Amino acid sequence: MTTATAQPVDASVFDLSPAELYSRYRKNLCKVPGLNMTLDISRMPFGKSFFRVMEPAMQHAYAEMEKLESGAIANPDENRMVGHYWLRAPGLAPEPDLTKAIHDTVEDIKAFVDAVHTKAVKPATAAKFTDVLSIGIGGSALGPQFLADALGGIKRKDKIKVHFIDNTDTDGIRRTLDGLGAKMKSTLVLVISKSGGTPEPRNGMIEAKAAFEAKGLDFAKHAVAITGDGSQLDGVAKGEGWLKIFPMWDWVGGRTSVMATVGLVPLALQGIKIDDFLAGAQKMDEITRKTFTKKNPAALLALMWHLATNGKGEKDMVMLPYKDRLLLLSRYLQQLVMESLGKEYDLDGNPVYQGIAVYGNKGSTDQHAYVQQLREGVNNFFATFIVGLQDTTTPGKNVIEVEDGVTAGDYLSGFFQGTRTALFENGRGSMTITCDKIDAKTVGALIALYERAVGFYATLVNINAYHQPGVEAGKKAAATVLEVQAKAVAALTATPQNPVQIAEAIGDADAVETIDLTLAHLAANKRIGKKGAGYLAN
């Protein structure tokens, strides 16, 4: 299968009168039944023949998605299925054992979380767990962070407050640990790593364990592992007698793992109903499996991406959520979209350099930041507005008017509409997703919507959305740096040497820049010791 043929934009769309534009809006508005959500694509410059011409390619994308959900090997690099869709509909899994594993794990999460909330599971030196420290990287951090921020504090105080360590930055790690302070004795720690050997969560775990032990606390009595069966972390958790071990499955990729234990455990501990979250995703999956394109919001998103980027990633995706709770959505989508679509080769082995860059913050903050460039600068983007109609979680209560008949939420709605209009008037395309409210069901649906849109788009441009060789290349390069570091330190002597001389001493002339940067880092942290006199910075 070759890539779908890119279709020309129809710039005349930007010249439509308000009445004509409203008619186009009504004709093309996609309503998502059962989720109180709509997708408006009317302000994207597709022509009259666009959907007819793209329909064969879209039907092929539906067929490929059906194979994926049926258990086809989607990641040939690792001979893996890709089954994140089964997480919210276990009955779809191709094997009974998988169905049972998903169902049993969700029930196990609920039982463990209930035991924590009811104090049946509690720390040795405190009455109950009051906080959770989640240690992960990539999808094991971005997803849980997005959920915690988007769904926290709705109508009630969270049962447990969630904190995150999501990097191997020593200062960042210790700032988080120091922030826990005396609450460390009542903090439950989640260590999330499929292999257990990924450096960032491993390092965070080691730092956290040291901090707990420095306060006289038994880290194992506070620790929960979320990991693969038989992994390094699995061995540590079993050997030290951690409180609990939850599984990570090899058929769930990191960027689509938020509905597995990675996302469900911290979400449930926070006090959010995970059944609602999963139900929203399941409902969106049902809708986006249908092959009537004009009523399939994931298909429409993928097609609009193809139109906007010429099928080659020529424009960026700017996310503009007009809701504070969706602040971290763009960060979450950066990994989902860019790791999935950023590929050097297509499925036929041809170099294509595909991808779509994603960035965004939130409205109306963006209006005081980069909307100036979006409207009047280089036209290298398409925008997606996301709107929540309900201003608060308790509509009609405690309404405060900032002007006669006007609330702060009215201003936010006005800013959204004004920005969308200002962009359109200057020939800038946009889409709008409107939700009645931002709750667990809606957030689950939004994630499922974008997961499927990414899969559809990947088929349209003939790439594999489910492997990430570039990520592994970066990890291997980092390991090489640490190997050079060890050799360089061992080569230091009392006689001063510059990086070139040290490279010669270890027999690796190509490593001179690595030596320079690495020893500069060690020297700044006073870690070269007495041999430091033997290092001369360039």
Side-chain angles (χ1 to χ4, degrees), residues 136-145 166 200 254-255 257 262 332 335 339:
I137 190 68
S140 296
L142 291 169
Q145 285 173 327
D166 64 350
E200 295 92 340
R255 57 189 174 280
S257 64
V262 166
Y332 176 77
Q335 183 187 19
E339 192 168 283

Side-chain angles (χ1 to χ4, degrees), residues 100-110 246-247 249 260-261:
K100 185 177 187 302
I102 297 167
H103 179 270
D104 289 354
T105 298
V106 171
E107 294 305 310
D108 196 23
I109 291 170
K110 292 178 181 178
F246 288 106
W249 299 296
T261 50

Side-chain angles (χ1 to χ4, degrees), residues 334-404:
Q334 278 177 341
Q335 183 187 19
L336 177 63
V337 174
M338 296 176 73
E339 192 168 283
S340 298
L341 302 182
K343 301 295 160 63
E344 183 174 357
Y345 299 100
D346 67 13
L347 292 173
D348 301 317
N350 302 309
V352 289
Y353 302 102
Q354 276 286 357
I356 301 177
V358 180
Y359 66 91
N361 186 31
K362 66 177 181 180
S364 63
T365 298
D366 292 330
Q367 289 179 230
H368 300 270
Y370 52 75
V371 166
Q372 166 66 31
Q373 176 170 313
L374 297 187
R375 186 178 190 277
E376 298 185 6
V378 58
N379 189 1
N380 64 344
F381 72 95
F382 62 97
T384 303
F385 295 93
I386 303 184
V387 177
L389 294 179
Q390 291 186 3
D391 293 337
T392 70
T393 57
T394 54
K397 296 183 179 180
N398 301 318
V399 176
I400 297 174
E401 295 184 352
V402 295
E403 296 174 10
D404 187 21

